[in-house]
Amino acid sequence: MAVSSYMTDAIKIDVWSDIACPWCYIGKRNLETGLAEVAGDADAPRVEVTYHSYELSPDTPVDFEGDQTEYLVQHKGISREQALEMAARVTDVARDAGLDYHFDNLKHTNTVKAHELVHFAKEKGLQGSMKERLLSAHFVEGRHVGRIDDLVELAVEIGLDADEAREALISEKYVEAVRADEEQARAYGINGVPFFVIDGKYGISGAQPPAAFSQIARQVWAEHQGEPAAV
């Protein structure tokens, strides 16, 4: 009976990422594409994905004065030419993943409140939807994702209660959860995102292609079945 119970366990994928990380949205979409591929397998893996907080630039003000290029120059210490090249490159990679980035409209901001909102949404069973809405709002639509009023609007769009969302953000109820995620990231030695932890034992760093995620999903699912993974 114990073996049968174990075989039905879902693969746990824990994802550390930041709302302000363009590679994190690409990584999220590639993960979803890879998992969609294995969903058609005769013995499709069961997967549970959980998102965790990671702030790349916690010192960024809520209302950053400047555009994407100025942000990269200030925070990366690179030239304007290099910043423009970086933005163009990530826009091309995002397009390949099916994402339409608009860095010219992007509003840089502090992301701690957005992370708090993701934790609030998790409690309501809508974490994945909230994460997706925030990333799309930030990179595709050029909406502000650092101010409470703007965040509440996005929460309502996915079906969360406005008053409850506002209270959660004002009270800072979920700040401790954000800090716990970041502490776990440090314990794992994560110093860049996106970072994917599979079943607590395999780590995947960066926005890997969909095939990398489908491969690891099949491998780990075979381990759950007590079978050797196909090569």
Side-chain angles (χ1 to χ4, degrees), residues 6 10-14 197-202 220 223-224:
Y6 177 66
I11 298 171
K12 311 290 187 183
I13 301 182
D14 292 284
V197 177
I198 319 297
D199 268 0
K201 57 182 179 179
Y202 300 112
V220 175
E223 293 174 5
H224 278 223

Side-chain angles (χ1 to χ4, degrees), residues 96-171:
D96 290 339
L99 301 171
D100 187 19
Y101 281 8
H102 291 279
F103 283 115
D104 52 334
N105 293 327
L106 190 146
K107 296 177 177 60
H108 281 287
T109 185
N110 189 289
T111 59
V112 67
K113 286 297 178 189
H115 285 297
E116 291 176 45
L117 185 60
V118 172
H119 278 282
F120 168 68
K122 179 183 178 182
E123 191 174 88
K124 302 296 183 180
L126 291 171
Q127 187 195 44
S129 296
M130 192 73 260
K131 185 78 170 182
E132 175 68 24
R133 190 69 197 92
L134 287 164
L135 288 165
S136 179
H138 186 57
F139 288 108
V140 178
E141 302 163 40
R143 294 176 65 174
H144 205 295
V145 296
R147 297 185 298 236
I148 289 178
D149 286 348
D150 298 273
L151 290 169
V152 170
E153 287 182 7
L154 294 171
V156 169
E157 289 179 18
I158 68 158
L160 291 169
D161 181 81
D163 292 338
E164 289 185 1
R166 186 179 300 279
E167 173 57 26
L169 295 175
I170 292 174
S171 67

